[in-house]
Structures are given as C-alpha cells and as structure tokens.
Amino acid sequence: MKNIMSQLNTIFSIAIFRKRAQNLVASNQLMLVCLLAAITIGFINREFSTDDGSTLILAIAESVLYSGFVFVILALHRKPERFVQTISAILGTNAIIQLIALPLFVSSGQITTNVAETSDTIMVALLLVGGWSFAVSVFVLKEALEVRIAPAVLTTLGCQMATLIILVMLFPELTAEVGSSATQSVPPTTSAS
C-alpha cells in the first residue's frame, strides 16, 4: 500500500510537471490501477456533464484505444519497453486532472448538444482541463519517445484524433449524444482530449 501511495504521489508530481514518467516503477499492477482510475473518473465526469446513461462503454473504449495507439507509437520508435511507465503516467495524470476538475463539472451543470446553451463556466473548465491534460500527455510522450516538442504535440494529437475517429465509427449512436464532452477525456483519454 505504501508503494502504491508513493507511486500515486509521483503521478501527481508528473501532472504538475515536477517529475517524469521515468520516475514511476514499471509495474503492470500500477498500470491497471491507472487504467481503472481513468475509466472510472472519465465515466463519472461524463455522467455529470451529459444526460446519456451509456457512457461507461465509451470511457472503457477510449482508454483502451488510446493505450493501444501509445503502444503502437512506442513500438514504431523501437521503445515498447517504455509502454508501462508511459501509459501509467498518461492515464494516471488524466485521472487526477479529471478528479480535480470534478467539482467544476458537478456545479456547472450539464453540457448540452447546443454549445450556445452550455454555460461559459463549463466551457472554460473543459478548455482548461483539456489543455492541462494535453500538455501533460505531450510532456510524457516527449520524454518517452526522446523527441522535440513539435513531434510530441503531433503524436499526441494523432493518438487523440485516431481514438476519437474510431470511437465515432464504433459507437455512432453513443458518440452523437456525448460528442460535446469528448474534449474532456484522455487520453485520453484520453480522457481530456
């Protein structure tokens, strides 16, 4: 338990740019905890920010798809051994960021399909949460791939766009109803993508 708490503290430090994914222990158990946390928090945020009751499948699919794209990118760069630390950092930080943002989503009301009807507070919150999560993902991928910032930004955008496109193709009826909240998650997320 002490080791998990230490790793969660490291993940928080990564979320505020004080540590790197390399500071995490490469643990499948930690990766699973981060995956479950990202799915759970993503699902909870969607439940508060949309009126659709079928968002669990989207939260699961989004996290798994994004993780798969990160693995492919690492493999293409001949660094697949970094997957466990990299995805633990991305999913873990995404879960922490969304957990911190949860009170904003609860107090601001639901996202509506008409953006003009959505409160300014929640739109700003979505932009801030999405930007923070995106920046952390770029930071983590930049270090994992050992590339400059521009390729890391393009890689992160590519993973997020590919995840979104596949989600829309697989679940058109679900993504149409919660499409306006897609920017809040990870990968990532996902879930703040």
mmCIF file of all heavy atoms in Angstrom, residues 78-102:
data_model
loop_
_atom_site.group_PDB
_atom_site.id
_atom_site.type_symbol
_atom_site.label_atom_id
_atom_site.label_comp_id
_atom_site.label_asym_id
_atom_site.label_seq_id
_atom_site.Cartn_x
_atom_site.Cartn_y
_atom_site.Cartn_z
ATOM 1 N N ARG A 78 10.737 2.008 -31.624
ATOM 2 C CA ARG A 78 11.579 0.955 -31.026
ATOM 3 C C ARG A 78 11.801 1.168 -29.528
ATOM 4 O O ARG A 78 12.897 0.969 -29.006
ATOM 5 C CB ARG A 78 12.906 0.852 -31.768
ATOM 6 C CG ARG A 78 12.730 0.420 -33.209
ATOM 7 C CD ARG A 78 14.062 0.110 -33.856
ATOM 8 N NE ARG A 78 13.839 -0.417 -35.178
ATOM 9 C CZ ARG A 78 14.033 0.275 -36.290
ATOM 10 N NH1 ARG A 78 14.460 1.515 -36.226
ATOM 11 N NH2 ARG A 78 13.817 -0.279 -37.468
ATOM 12 N N LYS A 79 10.736 1.569 -28.836
ATOM 13 C CA LYS A 79 10.802 1.771 -27.391
ATOM 14 C C LYS A 79 9.580 1.146 -26.683
ATOM 15 O O LYS A 79 9.019 1.736 -25.763
ATOM 16 C CB LYS A 79 10.872 3.260 -27.072
ATOM 17 C CG LYS A 79 12.122 3.950 -27.624
ATOM 18 C CD LYS A 79 12.084 5.423 -27.352
ATOM 19 C CE LYS A 79 13.213 6.216 -27.941
ATOM 20 N NZ LYS A 79 14.406 5.630 -28.420
ATOM 21 N N PRO A 80 9.169 -0.077 -27.099
ATOM 22 C CA PRO A 80 7.963 -0.660 -26.488
ATOM 23 C C PRO A 80 8.128 -0.959 -25.000
ATOM 24 O O PRO A 80 7.148 -1.036 -24.262
ATOM 25 C CB PRO A 80 7.736 -1.941 -27.290
ATOM 26 C CG PRO A 80 9.084 -2.303 -27.807
ATOM 27 C CD PRO A 80 9.778 -0.989 -28.059
ATOM 28 N N GLU A 81 9.371 -1.094 -24.542
ATOM 29 C CA GLU A 81 9.614 -1.371 -23.128
ATOM 30 C C GLU A 81 9.208 -0.200 -22.235
ATOM 31 O O GLU A 81 9.054 -0.360 -21.030
ATOM 32 C CB GLU A 81 11.094 -1.732 -22.894
ATOM 33 C CG GLU A 81 12.075 -0.602 -23.086
ATOM 34 C CD GLU A 81 12.439 -0.278 -24.549
ATOM 35 O OE1 GLU A 81 11.964 -0.986 -25.468
ATOM 36 O OE2 GLU A 81 13.194 0.680 -24.766
ATOM 37 N N ARG A 82 8.985 0.964 -22.821
ATOM 38 C CA ARG A 82 8.575 2.142 -22.051
ATOM 39 C C ARG A 82 7.055 2.264 -21.916
ATOM 40 O O ARG A 82 6.569 3.192 -21.285
ATOM 41 C CB ARG A 82 9.128 3.412 -22.704
ATOM 42 C CG ARG A 82 10.629 3.457 -22.702
ATOM 43 C CD ARG A 82 11.161 4.719 -23.286
ATOM 44 N NE ARG A 82 12.624 4.690 -23.277
ATOM 45 C CZ ARG A 82 13.378 5.664 -23.702
ATOM 46 N NH1 ARG A 82 12.838 6.766 -24.187
ATOM 47 N NH2 ARG A 82 14.694 5.559 -23.657
ATOM 48 N N PHE A 83 6.335 1.327 -22.496
ATOM 49 C CA PHE A 83 4.871 1.431 -22.522
ATOM 50 C C PHE A 83 4.258 1.483 -21.126
ATOM 51 O O PHE A 83 3.402 2.332 -20.857
ATOM 52 C CB PHE A 83 4.263 0.274 -23.311
ATOM 53 C CG PHE A 83 2.764 0.246 -23.256
ATOM 54 C CD1 PHE A 83 2.013 1.206 -23.927
ATOM 55 C CD2 PHE A 83 2.100 -0.714 -22.504
ATOM 56 C CE1 PHE A 83 0.630 1.203 -23.860
ATOM 57 C CE2 PHE A 83 0.714 -0.720 -22.440
ATOM 58 C CZ PHE A 83 -0.026 0.234 -23.120
ATOM 59 N N VAL A 84 4.653 0.594 -20.247
ATOM 60 C CA VAL A 84 4.016 0.501 -18.926
ATOM 61 C C VAL A 84 4.161 1.822 -18.164
ATOM 62 O O VAL A 84 3.182 2.352 -17.636
ATOM 63 C CB VAL A 84 4.582 -0.683 -18.116
ATOM 64 C CG1 VAL A 84 4.076 -0.661 -16.681
ATOM 65 C CG2 VAL A 84 4.203 -2.000 -18.787
ATOM 66 N N GLN A 85 5.359 2.377 -18.130
ATOM 67 C CA GLN A 85 5.561 3.650 -17.436
ATOM 68 C C GLN A 85 4.831 4.792 -18.148
ATOM 69 O O GLN A 85 4.204 5.626 -17.508
ATOM 70 C CB GLN A 85 7.046 3.987 -17.359
ATOM 71 C CG GLN A 85 7.821 3.136 -16.385
ATOM 72 C CD GLN A 85 9.303 3.431 -16.478
ATOM 73 O OE1 GLN A 85 9.890 3.377 -17.551
ATOM 74 N NE2 GLN A 85 9.901 3.734 -15.330
ATOM 75 N N THR A 86 4.911 4.812 -19.461
ATOM 76 C CA THR A 86 4.309 5.906 -20.231
ATOM 77 C C THR A 86 2.799 5.926 -20.075
ATOM 78 O O THR A 86 2.210 6.972 -19.774
ATOM 79 C CB THR A 86 4.693 5.772 -21.728
ATOM 80 O OG1 THR A 86 6.120 5.794 -21.837
ATOM 81 C CG2 THR A 86 4.090 6.892 -22.545
ATOM 82 N N ILE A 87 2.154 4.788 -20.260
ATOM 83 C CA ILE A 87 0.690 4.783 -20.199
ATOM 84 C C ILE A 87 0.211 4.940 -18.760
ATOM 85 O O ILE A 87 -0.833 5.548 -18.518
ATOM 86 C CB ILE A 87 0.086 3.539 -20.897
ATOM 87 C CG1 ILE A 87 -1.340 3.847 -21.370
ATOM 88 C CG2 ILE A 87 0.100 2.322 -20.005
ATOM 89 C CD1 ILE A 87 -1.451 4.953 -22.384
ATOM 90 N N SER A 88 0.984 4.439 -17.796
ATOM 91 C CA SER A 88 0.633 4.672 -16.384
ATOM 92 C C SER A 88 0.643 6.161 -16.089
ATOM 93 O O SER A 88 -0.262 6.690 -15.429
ATOM 94 C CB SER A 88 1.609 3.950 -15.446
ATOM 95 O OG SER A 88 1.518 2.558 -15.585
ATOM 96 N N ALA A 89 1.661 6.858 -16.597
ATOM 97 C CA ALA A 89 1.762 8.303 -16.369
ATOM 98 C C ALA A 89 0.629 9.050 -17.063
ATOM 99 O O ALA A 89 -0.006 9.926 -16.459
ATOM 100 C CB ALA A 89 3.113 8.820 -16.864
ATOM 101 N N ILE A 90 0.337 8.702 -18.312
ATOM 102 C CA ILE A 90 -0.711 9.417 -19.047
ATOM 103 C C ILE A 90 -2.083 9.168 -18.440
ATOM 104 O O ILE A 90 -2.833 10.112 -18.170
ATOM 105 C CB ILE A 90 -0.684 9.035 -20.550
ATOM 106 C CG1 ILE A 90 0.575 9.599 -21.206
ATOM 107 C CG2 ILE A 90 -1.936 9.551 -21.258
ATOM 108 C CD1 ILE A 90 0.795 9.132 -22.638
ATOM 109 N N LEU A 91 -2.428 7.906 -18.215
ATOM 110 C CA LEU A 91 -3.756 7.594 -17.662
ATOM 111 C C LEU A 91 -3.878 8.061 -16.215
ATOM 112 O O LEU A 91 -4.930 8.570 -15.810
ATOM 113 C CB LEU A 91 -4.036 6.093 -17.763
ATOM 114 C CG LEU A 91 -4.173 5.532 -19.169
ATOM 115 C CD1 LEU A 91 -4.370 4.021 -19.111
ATOM 116 C CD2 LEU A 91 -5.307 6.195 -19.935
ATOM 117 N N GLY A 92 -2.819 7.895 -15.447
ATOM 118 C CA GLY A 92 -2.861 8.323 -14.045
ATOM 119 C C GLY A 92 -3.011 9.824 -13.897
ATOM 120 O O GLY A 92 -3.823 10.303 -13.098
ATOM 121 N N THR A 93 -2.238 10.581 -14.684
ATOM 122 C CA THR A 93 -2.359 12.036 -14.600
ATOM 123 C C THR A 93 -3.712 12.501 -15.117
ATOM 124 O O THR A 93 -4.294 13.431 -14.563
ATOM 125 C CB THR A 93 -1.235 12.751 -15.377
ATOM 126 O OG1 THR A 93 -1.221 12.303 -16.739
ATOM 127 C CG2 THR A 93 0.114 12.500 -14.737
ATOM 128 N N ASN A 94 -4.214 11.848 -16.150
ATOM 129 C CA ASN A 94 -5.529 12.201 -16.668
ATOM 130 C C ASN A 94 -6.604 12.000 -15.603
ATOM 131 O O ASN A 94 -7.492 12.844 -15.431
ATOM 132 C CB ASN A 94 -5.849 11.378 -17.918
ATOM 133 C CG ASN A 94 -7.147 11.795 -18.539
ATOM 134 O OD1 ASN A 94 -7.408 12.977 -18.731
ATOM 135 N ND2 ASN A 94 -7.973 10.828 -18.873
ATOM 136 N N ALA A 95 -6.517 10.892 -14.887
ATOM 137 C CA ALA A 95 -7.491 10.624 -13.826
ATOM 138 C C ALA A 95 -7.403 11.684 -12.729
ATOM 139 O O ALA A 95 -8.424 12.177 -12.233
ATOM 140 C CB ALA A 95 -7.270 9.231 -13.243
ATOM 141 N N ILE A 96 -6.189 12.057 -12.349
ATOM 142 C CA ILE A 96 -6.005 13.074 -11.311
ATOM 143 C C ILE A 96 -6.559 14.419 -11.772
ATOM 144 O O ILE A 96 -7.258 15.112 -11.030
ATOM 145 C CB ILE A 96 -4.516 13.180 -10.906
ATOM 146 C CG1 ILE A 96 -4.120 11.952 -10.093
ATOM 147 C CG2 ILE A 96 -4.242 14.461 -10.127
ATOM 148 C CD1 ILE A 96 -2.637 11.834 -9.804
ATOM 149 N N ILE A 97 -6.248 14.793 -13.003
ATOM 150 C CA ILE A 97 -6.731 16.076 -13.533
ATOM 151 C C ILE A 97 -8.251 16.104 -13.581
ATOM 152 O O ILE A 97 -8.880 17.086 -13.173
ATOM 153 C CB ILE A 97 -6.109 16.356 -14.919
ATOM 154 C CG1 ILE A 97 -4.610 16.625 -14.770
ATOM 155 C CG2 ILE A 97 -6.811 17.520 -15.614
ATOM 156 C CD1 ILE A 97 -3.831 16.599 -16.081
ATOM 157 N N GLN A 98 -8.859 15.028 -14.048
ATOM 158 C CA GLN A 98 -10.322 14.988 -14.099
ATOM 159 C C GLN A 98 -10.938 14.953 -12.703
ATOM 160 O O GLN A 98 -12.007 15.519 -12.488
ATOM 161 C CB GLN A 98 -10.799 13.792 -14.922
ATOM 162 C CG GLN A 98 -10.575 13.994 -16.398
ATOM 163 C CD GLN A 98 -11.333 12.998 -17.238
ATOM 164 O OE1 GLN A 98 -12.459 12.633 -16.906
ATOM 165 N NE2 GLN A 98 -10.734 12.561 -18.307
ATOM 166 N N LEU A 99 -10.269 14.296 -11.762
ATOM 167 C CA LEU A 99 -10.767 14.275 -10.390
ATOM 168 C C LEU A 99 -10.731 15.675 -9.783
ATOM 169 O O LEU A 99 -11.676 16.094 -9.114
ATOM 170 C CB LEU A 99 -9.931 13.307 -9.546
ATOM 171 C CG LEU A 99 -10.411 13.054 -8.125
ATOM 172 C CD1 LEU A 99 -11.815 12.452 -8.137
ATOM 173 C CD2 LEU A 99 -9.448 12.132 -7.402
ATOM 174 N N ILE A 100 -9.663 16.412 -10.046
ATOM 175 C CA ILE A 100 -9.564 17.793 -9.573
ATOM 176 C C ILE A 100 -10.666 18.645 -10.201
ATOM 177 O O ILE A 100 -11.239 19.525 -9.551
ATOM 178 C CB ILE A 100 -8.161 18.369 -9.884
ATOM 179 C CG1 ILE A 100 -7.115 17.684 -8.995
ATOM 180 C CG2 ILE A 100 -8.124 19.881 -9.700
ATOM 181 C CD1 ILE A 100 -5.677 17.962 -9.382
ATOM 182 N N ALA A 101 -10.986 18.382 -11.472
ATOM 183 C CA ALA A 101 -11.999 19.163 -12.194
ATOM 184 C C ALA A 101 -13.429 18.726 -11.882
ATOM 185 O O ALA A 101 -14.377 19.445 -12.222
ATOM 186 C CB ALA A 101 -11.762 19.066 -13.693
ATOM 187 N N LEU A 102 -13.600 17.593 -11.225
ATOM 188 C CA LEU A 102 -14.943 17.066 -10.975
ATOM 189 C C LEU A 102 -15.894 18.066 -10.311
ATOM 190 O O LEU A 102 -17.035 18.211 -10.753
ATOM 191 C CB LEU A 102 -14.862 15.772 -10.160
ATOM 192 C CG LEU A 102 -16.183 15.037 -9.926
ATOM 193 C CD1 LEU A 102 -16.815 14.627 -11.249
ATOM 194 C CD2 LEU A 102 -15.944 13.807 -9.056
#
